[in-house]
Amino acid sequence: QVQLVESGGGLVQAGESLRLSCVVSGLIFSSRDMGWYRQAPGKQRELVAAITRGRGTTYADSVKGRFTISRDNAENTVYLQMNSLKPEDTAVYYCAADYYGVGFDRWGRGTQVTVSS
């Protein structure tokens, strides 16, 4: 069974920072692409950032320059460093794994990020 366990969410003020962590088990972490999604009330789930097994990265335009995704294969962990947070970043953030190599299909339970104005 694949498990993804997020941590690091919380309540912050606009302009502050958070770092999310996701510890993964049940797969060969180093061989899989990883990502972070978020979902705000009334909105569709959106891809925030992704990192390949080769550490190539992509970001949503809304977070480019503010968020950084990284991975530590020795720790089976993917991170999302979130700087200059805005109220619009408020959402449940989900860690995701591309288990079969065809798209993200394994999910954590999510961690709430709330940014006050």
Side-chain angles (χ1 to χ4, degrees), residues 54-105:
R55 292 186 172 84
T57 58
T58 59
Y59 297 92
D61 288 342
S62 59
V63 307
K64 183 70 176 180
R66 299 188 297 121
F67 291 10
T68 303
I69 189 171
S70 61
R71 66 192 298 160
D72 185 340
N73 288 344
E75 298 290 335
N76 283 9
T77 302
V78 61
Y79 303 96
L80 185 68
Q81 178 68 45
M82 305 184 294
N83 297 330
S84 301
L85 282 162
K86 304 175 180 179
E88 298 78 42
D89 296 317
T90 295
V92 178
Y93 284 71
Y94 298 91
C95 181
D98 184 354
Y99 184 76
Y100 294 106
V102 297
F104 295 114
D105 60 0

Side-chain angles (χ1 to χ4, degrees), residues 25 28 31 42 45 50-51 53 56 66 79-80 84 91 103-104 115 117:
S25 62
I28 306 300
S31 69
R45 186 176 299 183
I51 184 165
R53 62 181 182 177
R66 299 188 297 121
Y79 303 96
L80 185 68
S84 301
F104 295 114
V115 185
S117 60

